[in-house]
Each structure stands twice: as structure tokens, then as C-alpha cells.
Amino acid sequence: MTPRFDAVVVGAGLAGLAATFALARQGAKVALVDRRPFVGGRAYSYPHPVVGEVVDSQHVMVGCCTALRRLCADAGVADRIKWYDAYTFLEPGGRRTVLKPSGLPSPGHNSLSFLAAPMLSVADKVAVARALLPFLRGYPATDEESVAQWLERMRLPMGAVRHFLYPVIVSALNDVPERCSIKYAGQVFHETFLKSAEGGRFGIPTLPLSEFYGVVADDAMKHGASVWESFAVRSVVPSTEGGWVVAGDREELWAETVVLAVPFDQVAPVLEPEVFGRALPLGLEPLVQSPITSIHLWYDRDVVGMDHAALLDTTIEWMFCKSRIRGWEASRGSYVELTISASHAQLRMSAEEIFKAALAEFEGFFPEARGAVLRKHLVLKEAKATFSVVPGLDRFRPAQKTAVPGLVLAGDWTRTGWPSTMEGAVRSGFLAAEAVTGQRVLPDDLPAAGLMKVLAR
């Protein structure tokens, strides 16, 4: 007999987890299915068979991520997030800039450390302040202008772009300035650097990601949800008796409502063309994907002496010392992950070429690594890591509630008001649950602080 549910959520990434979590807590009989044998979607971890280590791609959250923070708090995993108030920028040769709050009211909470920043000249600092001034009240309502066009219009000195604006934008939006809208870059600056000190804090899970987000799935199951892993969905079709049939390789499920919480390129393959056309009348052609490449290094000892840093004037955007973040004993050695955002060039390179280039750059920042034993290394390419917030994309991002009764969409690519982030994914899941039950789930945005209470719109 076909199992029957109030809702079947297809996709156990953060969007699907959030939708399942919210629906289960509202009393719905819900099933969460995913083709993989673990949850988390793109925020996942797994035991790598070659290196014999649990690996994942580094994801961080910031204080303004109210939906993600609510999900973690309600699921009981918030205490496994390590929070930081300071951003460290390193230049080749070791010169260090630390941006951190000073206690002044927002938007000036970072101003003292910014004024003292050695990575920027006086002219650079004046230019950055001038560039961020329009974002005090918010960010553009439309997404037609690209970051590249904005940079050209602002005529900023190269130091301001190279040592602050470009690293922040590329690491946050994961694409080159030509393929990013200034609306979403402005949102990053407004929410994380201007609106409040709390909004700019950033947190890193201290557990491997599938283990971390597995706690969310466990909580949903405690509230009656069922999780079906290794369930590859072949089709989602209307049932002759009403509702929907979700067909897997070995089993079928019936649901009154289906929440399709998969990446945008996986929507059309499981829907009939007529259903797809009604649900997404504008299509999905304008959505494009951007890669992230990560280089994983295991040493016999700590070679960096810090938890994380943004690396300037190099291919690598960020260094994360995951062994420090996760509290490893010194006897286990050190585990470092390097990330390259918008790594289009690396997709055409071999893993060995990427490794050698990254290692040479890394040792330029952390020369102690040259004398340490590199026990293992691994290069991971995520060709479809995020979607790009290309100019003009907003009108193509669909709402969670579609014109097809009983068919709801979720995913960071849907209309969330956020770029491709964990926060955007969780928001979409909460909005999908609201579309199913009509009950409010999404929390309020983080309020402005200090003078921003008056300045922010």
C-alpha cells in the first residue's frame, strides 16, 4: 500500500530541512526524501574514501541570518556554532588587518579598526567610506546594475577594490563582478558591516555539516516526520485521486502537497512539461551556477596559529583551520581548508595543478607550513556550488507558492530576498511551509542598532 502524507518534501538540503522542520512542528504528517544517504544538500559532509577523513566544503553564517539562527536554536544545535566578532585580512608577507567592533554606535562600530587598517591607504579608506555611504539607508530596490558597472561608476582606487570591496563581494556572492548585481552586494555591506555589530558576527559549525544539520532532521523526526534517504525521485506527477505521486526507484509516496526543494536544474526533469510550465511560466534559463574549489590540507601540527583569515592578493579567498575551530587535540595534527570562490579557471585545471599553486600561495602567508609534515591533501571542485545573482535575475526567481495547487517550491534560488546562501535556503523552506499551512514561520529580520535605527529604512 502506498504510504500517504500531508506533505512530501523532495530534497534534504537546508531548504527541505527547514520546510520539513516547520511542517512537522505544526503537526503535519510529512516525509523528507533525498537521493543521498545523508542530509544537508550542498552543506554536507562525508567520509572521503581516499584520504580517510570526513570532509565538507566550508560554510559560514552571519549574525543577520535570522532564519538560519532560528532553525539551529529550535533544533538544539546552536551551541555547536563558534561565533567570531573580528575579521582578519592577511597580505603576503604576513601584514595583518583586523576589523572588529569597538563599542561605538552603528554604523560606526567598526570605524576605529577600519581607520587603523594597514591594508588600506588613507585614499583607499576615504573611497571605501564614500562607496558604502549609499548603503546606509538600505540597498537598491532593483537588481539591474552589475557590481562591475557600479565599480566603474564609482571610480574607486585599486587598493580599495583589491583589499576590501572585491574580497568581500566575491566571497559572499561567489562570482565575478560582471555576474553579480549591486543590489545583493549592497545587501551584504548593509546587513553585515553597517546595520549592527550583531549582524556582522559570523559563526562556523564545530561539527561536520551533515552531522550538524542531521540534528535538525532528528528533531523533525521527533515531531513525527519521516526521513527517506537514498530515495532517488524519478517523477512528481498529479495523482488521479487528487494530490501527488512521488515516484522513486523502488517505492511511491502519495502526498496532498509536494514541496520541491531541489536545485533549479533538477526541477524540470521530475515534472511533466505542462506542470512545469504552469509552475514556472518564465522558465529558469537566466539562472546560472558558479563553482567553489576547496583545498584540504592535513599537517602534523598547527601551522597557522589562527582559526581563519581572508587572504589578499592571491587566488585563495579564505583559510579556515578546521582543527582549531572543532577543538581537535594537538596529537591529531592540524586540518586546514582553503577556499577559492568563483573558481571558473580551476574547473579547467587538474587537481594536482590546483594543489601545487594553492600550496605555494599558502606557504607565502604561513611559512611555518614549509617545515611541517603534510600528511594528506585533497582538492574538491563544486562545479554547482551556488547560483549567481546576475543582474536582472529577480523577476525570474519564482515565489514558493505556485499556480499549481499542491505544488510548492523551495530552494535558495526561489524568491527569498537573499543571494545564494544558507540563510536564503532556510528562508525559502520556512516560506514554503507558510505556503502549505498559512501559519507564520519566518522570523523578523535583525533590527538596526545605534544610529542605524534612524538611518536605515
Side-chain angles (χ1 to χ4, degrees), residues 361-382:
E361 291 181 340
F362 173 70
E363 291 178 348
F365 289 92
F366 302 100
E368 188 174 337
R370 298 191 184 107
V373 176
L374 180 60
R375 292 171 170 169
K376 307 173 186 178
H377 69 271
L378 178 70
V379 174
L380 295 178
K381 299 180 185 180
E382 296 281 348

Side-chain angles (χ1 to χ4, degrees), residues 16 18 20 35 45 57 92 96 119 129 133 146 154 176 200 224 237 240 310 342 344 399 410 427 436 440:
T20 302
R35 62 183 176 83
S45 56
S57 293
R96 181 181 305 190
M119 69 180 181
L133 192 62
S146 72
M154 296 298 293
V176 295
V237 296
T240 56
H344 301 282
R427 283 180 174 242
V436 175
R440 176 68 187 268

Side-chain angles (χ1 to χ4, degrees), residues 336-354:
V336 173
E337 181 176 342
L338 312 174
T339 62
I340 304 174
S341 301
S343 57
H344 301 282
Q346 283 70 28
L347 290 181
R348 300 186 295 272
M349 297 169 61
S350 70
E352 189 63 17
E353 289 173 326
I354 295 169

